Amino acid sequence: MDSNQKSIRNRIIANWATRIFLIFATIVMLYPFVWNLLASFKSNTEFLTDPFALPTALHFDNYVRAFVKSKMGNYFMNSIILVLFSTALLIVLVVPISYVLTRFKFFGSKMILNLYMACIFIQATYIMVPLFLQVNSFNMLDNRGMLGVIYAVLQFPFAIFVLSGFLRSVPRDYEEAAKIDGSGNMGVLVRIIAPIAKPGIVTVGMLSAMGFWNEYPLALVLIQSEGKKTLPVGLANLFEVQRYATDWSALFAALILVLIPTIILFVIGQKQLLQGISAGGIKG
Amino acid sequence: MSDVLLTKVAPTNREIKGTKSKKPKLFIALCTIPTLLLTIIFMIIPTIKAFMMSFTDATGMSDDNKFIFLDNYKYMFHDEMFIKSLFNTFKLMLVVPVITLAIGLVLAFLLTQTKLKERGFYRTVFFFPSIISLTVVGIIWSFVFHPNMGILNNILSNIGLGNLTRPWLGDSSTALWCVAVTLIWQAAGYYMVMYVAAIDGISPDVFESATIDGAGQFRKLISITIPLLKDIIGITFVLSLAGTINLSFIIVSVMTGGGPAGGTSVLLHYMYTQAFQNSNFGYAMAIAIFTLLISFVLSFLSRLLTNRAEG
């Protein structure tokens, strides 16, 4: 009885020690965001007198300035269209090849799979110069469609890796049943495999969409005209400009604007994201 | 009557089997060729091109590039700025993965072992920085380290350590470590998620029997969790090394632009400067290939080490 009480007390102490540590970690993780959020509602004079005080009133005009004057609205639309296009293209191209590579053994199938595994190492930054020259030789620089295609292509290895892992665990019974009912291969892919693989497809789609939304190096190199830039590039430019101009409040508002879609996607799809990272990571 | 039916059914059955083993060639081609073609055009060819270009004196100006074989690679080691970038990258690679993974592991362990009610909340909060744009991360952390309105300097002067305040990003002795802190802050939660998944995969009996044997939390972390997660720790280490090389480019571009005086220049950022500011495409590609080689060799080595430790 006595030792039991003691162990319970120890457990409570241990739990509170952990909790205090975790709360401290939470503050470290969140404070920069909170500071930014508060700053986005202050006027410039308020911010410059004391960057740490609470805002006296909510200056929503910062957001209006960020959206209109700093062209964040424009960048925002560019990024959204780009992300939707690239993600759709990625899924349409990657689901069939992952399916075929896991279900059929044909000449070169093993080699193709190995090729994609090796390509996981090739990151956009390494090949951005030859990609720039390649796109230039097609006369497609400053073309948002082109950028979208390249985004999708560079995501192939990861997507094929995750999806083929997922499809391998799907039993063949459904497909065989559908084939006996007279479905062709294409019918099986669209009506049987795609619905079954939906969790995998959603995970790949979300992770990729987030990657596209945040992508910086390629957008920096392949897009030149002001009106076609994406959010990360536009934001980095704005930050560069604000070092000398000093409409800080509009910059903070812009930062919050960029975060909103990410937060929404995060809230909706946290489960898939966490699953995707666990699955993708464990298999390396 | 029934005999006739059977004979009619039998061959068609065989036919179905026959077509199945004969592989639907058209379908396979339709599914693979477009994807493969795009991969070749936008991934394989540029990679090969990068490799070829690294042996030439290609610039943005002229089309006739001279083949100079290893001259770019030899020049690198006489280029002070390159050496500086190389060492900066190495410093980050020595520090960032180890600390990131250690923090990720401790957080994952705490979240899985102490069954706090609000642990879902912590997991969400810690994971969040890893999904936001690195440009945003870079800008926000520029304000943490900002000389007069920065969060860090303000905290320091409020707790009476005012003499420690400095322009963190403008001081070449601290700027690189600011980049390191930002990278760690950004990635720790990501690896935490992987470790949580891995620890959840360990049978709870193992931990229970350790508790019965009187093992404390620290003991459990060192003697059970880490050995059982050896594989995934090895893999995440490789991922984190590659990530450090890659992500430092964006963080450095946004936060310091390689300054002050090359104090935060890293390999890929130096490559970018050589290519798009100096138009030395050939030299830039030599740097890219060299960097790619480093990440290949390192991941190969760490795979080898984890495999040996296993066997």
Side-chain angles (χ1 to χ4, degrees):
Chain A
M1 183 73 183
D2 216 63
S3 74
N4 212 359
Q5 268 175 344
K6 208 177 146 193
S7 84
I8 288 174
R9 207 179 56 214
N10 280 345
R11 202 63 172 275
I12 291 172
I13 292 171
N15 270 356
W16 271 101
T18 320
R19 185 170 278 143
I20 288 165
F21 176 76
L22 290 173
I23 289 172
F24 174 73
T26 305
I27 293 171
V28 173
M29 290 298 183
L30 284 188
Y31 185 66
F33 292 114
V34 175
W35 185 86
N36 184 347
L37 184 67
L38 291 178
S40 76
F41 287 115
K42 293 182 198 171
S43 70
N44 273 310
T45 30
E46 251 181 286
F47 177 73
L48 289 171
T49 15
D50 185 358
F52 298 90
L54 289 172
T56 48
L58 296 182
H59 289 269
F60 279 105
D61 54 306
N62 295 333
Y63 284 85
V64 176
R65 274 204 318 286
F67 214 76
V68 181
K69 221 176 110 201
S70 303
K71 300 204 207 84
M72 281 299 134
N74 188 0
Y75 301 144
F76 205 88
M77 283 316 289
N78 287 343
S79 273
I80 287 200
I81 294 169
L82 186 66
V83 167
L84 290 179
F85 170 69
S86 320
T87 312
L89 188 68
L90 173 76
I91 297 301
V92 167
L93 286 169
V94 140
V95 174
I97 194 172
S98 307
Y99 170 63
V100 166
L101 286 177
T102 44
R103 280 298 191 268
F104 301 98
K105 285 216 164 26
F106 55 93
F107 176 73
S109 60
K110 187 95 187 151
M111 209 179 77
I112 295 174
L113 211 55
N114 284 335
L115 174 81
Y116 280 113
M117 292 309 100
C119 282
I120 284 189
F121 271 100
I122 301 174
Q123 298 288 331
T125 334
Y126 291 115
I127 57 170
M128 71 187 174
V129 176
L131 259 178
F132 169 83
L133 298 173
Q134 182 95 324
V135 172
N136 189 26
S137 72
F138 299 156
N139 267 331
M140 295 285 249
L141 277 182
D142 209 25
N143 183 315
R144 282 170 286 187
M146 188 82 255
L147 182 63
V149 171
I150 292 177
Y151 276 5
V153 174
L154 290 180
Q155 195 68 4
F156 283 169
F158 167 79
I160 290 174
F161 172 73
V162 174
L163 272 182
S164 57
F166 190 87
L167 286 172
R168 225 169 271 135
S169 66
V170 173
R172 284 165 190 257
D173 306 0
Y174 300 105
E175 296 156 67
E176 253 136 51
K179 272 186 190 153
I180 289 164
D181 289 349
S183 278
N185 282 307
M186 203 49 97
V188 169
L189 177 60
V190 174
R191 278 191 294 273
I192 312 290
I193 294 301
I196 292 177
K198 207 171 136 201
I201 296 175
V202 170
T203 302
V204 167
M206 282 194 40
L207 282 172
S208 307
M210 287 207 170
F212 300 153
W213 178 258
N214 296 335
E215 204 281 339
Y216 175 76
L218 287 175
L220 175 72
V221 168
L222 296 177
I223 298 292
Q224 281 133 3
S225 38
E226 197 51 48
K228 294 181 184 172
K229 289 201 164 122
T230 60
L231 258 186
V233 178
L235 198 63
N237 284 352
L238 185 65
F239 178 54
E240 201 57 44
V241 172
Q242 294 304 4
R243 283 182 204 231
Y244 310 105
T246 50
D247 187 0
W248 295 111
S249 308
L251 175 65
F252 293 123
L255 282 168
I256 297 296
L257 282 176
V258 181
L259 285 178
I260 291 170
T262 318
I263 293 172
I264 293 174
L265 203 59
F266 184 57
V267 170
I268 299 172
Q270 207 201 137
K271 211 175 124 205
Q272 272 86 8
L273 273 179
L274 294 175
Q275 270 171 3
I277 288 170
S278 311
I282 286 169
K283 287 167 190 164
Chain B
M1 185 69 179
S2 64
D3 272 353
V4 177
L5 254 180
L6 269 178
T7 46
K8 256 196 158 182
V9 168
T12 41
N13 235 339
R14 204 173 295 147
E15 255 171 45
I16 291 174
K17 267 195 178 149
T19 48
K20 232 186 89 189
S21 64
K22 229 184 85 197
K23 282 173 221 163
K25 276 189 187 140
L26 183 70
F27 176 69
I28 290 178
L30 214 63
C31 287
T32 45
I33 288 174
T35 314
L36 213 53
L37 214 60
L38 283 168
T39 312
I40 291 170
I41 297 174
F42 292 110
M43 227 169 157
I44 311 288
I45 292 180
T47 307
I48 295 171
K49 250 192 187 161
F51 195 67
M52 308 287 271
M53 271 172 73
S54 74
F55 299 125
T56 70
D57 64 350
T59 59
M61 319 300 163
S62 64
D63 279 335
D64 51 344
N65 305 323
K66 228 175 43 221
F67 181 79
I68 54 170
F69 198 43
L70 291 175
D71 282 5
N72 282 329
Y73 291 89
K74 283 180 202 153
Y75 176 71
M76 268 192 238
F77 295 94
H78 302 289
D79 179 356
E80 220 173 283
M81 198 63 187
F82 171 79
I83 307 268
K84 212 170 198 176
S85 311
L86 184 64
F87 276 110
N88 284 341
T89 310
F90 277 149
K91 279 184 202 161
L92 289 179
M93 282 161 65
L94 273 177
V95 171
V96 175
V98 173
I99 299 181
T100 310
L101 298 188
I103 294 176
L105 193 60
V106 168
L107 290 178
F109 183 75
L110 289 178
L111 286 189
T112 47
Q113 285 304 297
T114 53
K115 299 198 163 21
L116 295 176
K117 269 173 283 168
E118 71 277 21
R119 65 178 194 273
F121 166 77
Y122 294 130
R123 192 177 63 168
T124 306
V125 168
F126 299 156
F127 177 54
F128 186 62
S130 67
I131 59 158
I132 62 175
S133 158
L134 272 169
T135 338
V136 175
V137 172
I139 296 174
I140 289 181
W141 277 80
S142 299
F143 285 104
V144 174
F145 296 121
H146 198 281
N148 38 48
M149 46 194 176
I151 296 172
L152 182 59
N153 276 349
N154 205 275
I155 290 173
L156 284 175
S157 31
N158 276 341
I159 58 173
L161 293 170
N163 54 337
L164 284 181
T165 60
R166 62 180 79 208
W168 297 95
L169 287 171
D171 187 332
S172 55
S173 63
T174 50
L176 188 68
W177 305 118
C178 297
V179 172
V181 168
T182 311
L183 284 169
I184 293 167
W185 178 83
Q186 187 271 145
Y190 183 83
Y191 293 107
M192 177 200 75
V193 169
M194 287 189 186
Y195 292 144
V196 166
I199 294 175
D200 281 344
I202 299 175
S203 158
D205 301 349
V206 181
F207 288 112
E208 243 163 64
S209 57
T211 317
I212 291 165
D213 291 345
Q217 294 294 351
F218 183 70
R219 189 85 217 160
K220 277 191 233 169
L221 175 66
I222 299 294
S223 313
I224 300 179
T225 314
I226 293 179
L228 283 176
L229 295 190
K230 212 168 48 198
D231 275 2
I232 188 173
I233 291 175
I235 292 163
T236 48
F237 189 68
V238 176
L239 284 177
S240 179
L241 278 175
T244 305
I245 297 179
N246 244 313
L247 304 183
S248 60
F249 167 73
I250 302 175
I251 294 292
V252 164
S253 303
V254 173
M255 283 174 79
T256 62
T264 56
S265 183
V266 288
L267 285 174
L268 289 177
H269 186 263
Y270 187 53
M271 177 211 80
Y272 174 82
T273 324
Q274 282 296 340
F276 292 104
Q277 283 169 23
N278 304 354
S279 291
N280 287 332
F281 288 139
Y283 186 46
M285 283 305 88
I287 298 170
I289 296 293
F290 185 80
T291 314
L292 194 60
L293 271 179
I294 292 178
S295 77
F296 261 131
V297 169
L298 283 174
S299 53
F300 181 73
L301 276 181
S302 32
R303 274 291 163 100
L304 210 69
L305 285 176
T306 42
N307 281 348
R308 180 177 299 166
E310 222 176 296

